[in-house]
Amino acid sequence: MSSPNPPAPHPVPFTAEVYRARMAKAADSAAEAGLAGVIVAPGPDLVHLTGYQPVSTERLTLLVLRAGEEPVLVVPTLEAPDAAAAAGAPALALRDWTDGVDPYAVASPLLATQGRFGVSDNAWAMHLLGLQRALPDTTYTALTEALPMLRAVKDAAELERLTAAGAAADATYEEILKVRFSGRRETDVAADLAALLKHFGHSQVDFTVVGSGPNGANPHHEAGERTIERGDMVVLDFGGLKHGYGSDTSRTVHVGEPTAEEQRVHDIVREAQQAGCAAVRPGVACQEIDRAARAVITEFGYGDRFIHRTGHGIGVTTHEPPYMIEGEEQPLVPGMCFSVEPGIYLPGRFGVRIEDIVTVTEDGGRRLNATARELAIVE
């Protein structure tokens, strides 16, 4: 691979006031939804709300948010210094507990003795059951069900990070077109993609799908030991986190000249992806993006070969609400960011997928990926 340009500098960090506003909004949204509060375990919700990113363990770490109350973060004593150093720490109170003390006796007084709480999806069952034992009259619901919009609408600083992540993924694609595909294993190309994402500033690589020939008909194919051959269609789908925010893009390339059928299928997917992106505007239901892309593929007779939703949200994780899928009536709101990624998959033969991240603007949508969507020829 050639030597690409160095990554861009790090953006301005989020302040304690930003985290204070996020926590207050989450607490108020919970109250409006009829919840007694929000309970947040280590994971993406905690990072978004506080800037604190501990390892999830058997020791209880829990953020409690209730409307009109000061946010409180319960942490093990041995991890309290790290929690106090988090960017959002000045906007909350810390309550620590030591080994040998019942952590649920420390956390339960912060909750109402009864009522329904929203809990982050990745909370450990043992911690949730411990709270239920301490507060038998409380019930719980997943945050993605109770507050699906919690992280969905991005502010300007978040959009800056997502734009930078998208640009890094674009630069990765431009460079991967220069490497040799034929005669190399899928895992070799996947390793190139991972190295390039890191080079362009990603701190975390979440996936590097390289689906060559018949493997491309599996949308989530793990790069394997298959040797890529001349005449193969190759689906590339890669992304991860840069500055704490996600990238995710897909392009399909061909080793040597494609057949007329391969070119036609790619053209159909490109038209479908364009239709999905063109449908993005405020007030449109999420399902309409799926319908717009799916209508094109169905019109050309491949409707049963488009076997997944058209898109998913992206932010501090590469997959999160909202989802562009039939039945999702959530209206699009400026600041939402999500993928538009239709595909056609022909079992035993090949697959095609084209994906961009799109953000909703005041009067339409804007792609965060700008690389060519035509079928690229590689060697």
Side-chain angles (χ1 to χ4, degrees):
M1 289 180 290
S2 60
S3 179
N5 296 325
H10 203 285
V12 176
F14 295 122
T15 65
E17 289 308 308
V18 169
Y19 291 115
R20 189 188 309 277
R22 289 179 183 177
M23 288 187 283
K25 181 179 178 181
D28 290 343
S29 296
E32 291 170 5
L35 299 175
V38 172
I39 300 169
V40 184
D45 290 325
L46 189 63
V47 173
H48 174 75
L49 292 166
T50 69
Y52 182 43
Q53 192 169 11
V55 175
S56 182
T57 72
E58 76 283 359
R59 289 188 172 97
L60 180 71
T61 295
L62 207 65
L63 174 68
V64 179
L65 302 178
R66 299 182 64 195
E69 303 286 342
E70 183 180 27
V72 181
L73 181 62
V74 177
V75 297
T77 300
L78 77 167
E79 296 173 9
D82 289 337
L92 51 78
L94 284 176
R95 298 283 187 275
D96 65 310
W97 60 275
T98 58
D99 287 351
V101 171
D102 181 359
Y104 308 108
V106 176
S108 59
L110 304 173
L111 280 64
T113 56
Q114 56 185 1
R116 190 168 184 80
F117 287 84
V119 60
S120 51
D121 296 8
N122 55 316
W124 282 28
M126 65 178 286
H127 296 321
L128 193 57
L129 292 170
L131 288 174
Q132 286 182 314
R133 285 194 299 271
L135 298 167
D137 292 329
T138 57
T139 57
Y140 302 87
T141 184
L143 277 184
T144 53
E145 295 181 3
L147 299 176
M149 295 287 285
L150 180 65
R151 306 196 316 258
V153 179
K154 276 64 178 181
D155 61 25
E158 291 179 293
L159 286 172
E160 177 188 3
R161 287 160 170 78
L162 284 161
T163 299
D170 282 356
T172 295
Y173 176 66
E174 295 289 356
E175 290 298 318
I176 206 67
L177 292 179
K178 301 173 185 178
V179 311
R180 186 167 187 83
F181 279 67
S182 62
R184 302 176 71 214
R185 296 170 300 175
E186 292 175 341
T187 51
D188 296 330
V189 177
D192 289 344
L193 286 169
L196 284 164
L197 285 169
K198 289 278 191 177
H199 183 91
F200 286 112
H202 278 63
S203 60
Q204 177 177 312
V205 176
D206 286 349
F207 47 89
T208 51
V209 172
V210 179
S212 64
N215 289 340
N218 175 1
H220 283 175
H221 170 69
E222 294 282 344
E225 296 302 308
R226 183 181 185 275
T227 298
I228 301 170
E229 301 173 353
R230 194 163 187 82
D232 279 347
M233 193 82 91
V234 185
V235 177
L236 305 173
D237 183 356
F238 50 94
L241 299 183
K242 177 176 180 175
H243 305 324
Y245 282 75
S247 70
D248 186 0
T249 189
S250 300
R251 294 291 186 265
T252 302
V253 302
H254 198 276
V255 187
E257 290 299 321
T259 65
E261 181 192 20
E262 289 169 332
Q263 183 66 63
R264 178 174 178 271
V265 170
H266 190 278
D267 289 345
I268 293 168
V269 173
R270 184 156 61 96
E271 183 177 336
Q273 206 259 353
Q274 174 59 34
C277 291
V280 175
R281 60 185 183 277
V284 169
C286 290
Q287 67 181 0
E288 295 300 331
I289 310 308
D290 183 85
R291 288 175 177 177
R294 198 168 299 276
V296 173
I297 291 175
T298 300
E299 177 187 353
F300 284 99
Y302 291 97
D304 61 339
R305 303 314 331 151
F306 180 10
I307 56 177
H308 55 73
R309 66 196 174 202
T310 293
H312 57 81
I314 191 168
V316 292
T317 58
T318 48
H319 282 215
E320 62 185 46
Y323 298 103
M324 306 302 113
I325 189 171
E326 181 66 32
E328 179 52 78
E329 298 180 351
Q330 168 66 49
L332 298 182
V333 177
M336 280 183 174
C337 296
F338 49 85
S339 66
V340 178
E341 51 177 307
I344 293 174
Y345 308 94
L346 305 179
R349 301 183 63 207
F350 64 90
V352 175
R353 182 165 63 259
I354 302 173
E355 173 185 16
D356 293 322
I357 300 301
V358 177
T359 184
V360 184
T361 63
E362 293 298 329
D363 57 1
R366 174 171 65 90
R367 299 183 200 239
L368 301 188
N369 297 104
T371 53
R373 295 164 195 90
E374 290 77 18
L375 181 58
I377 306 303
V378 296
E379 292 301 321

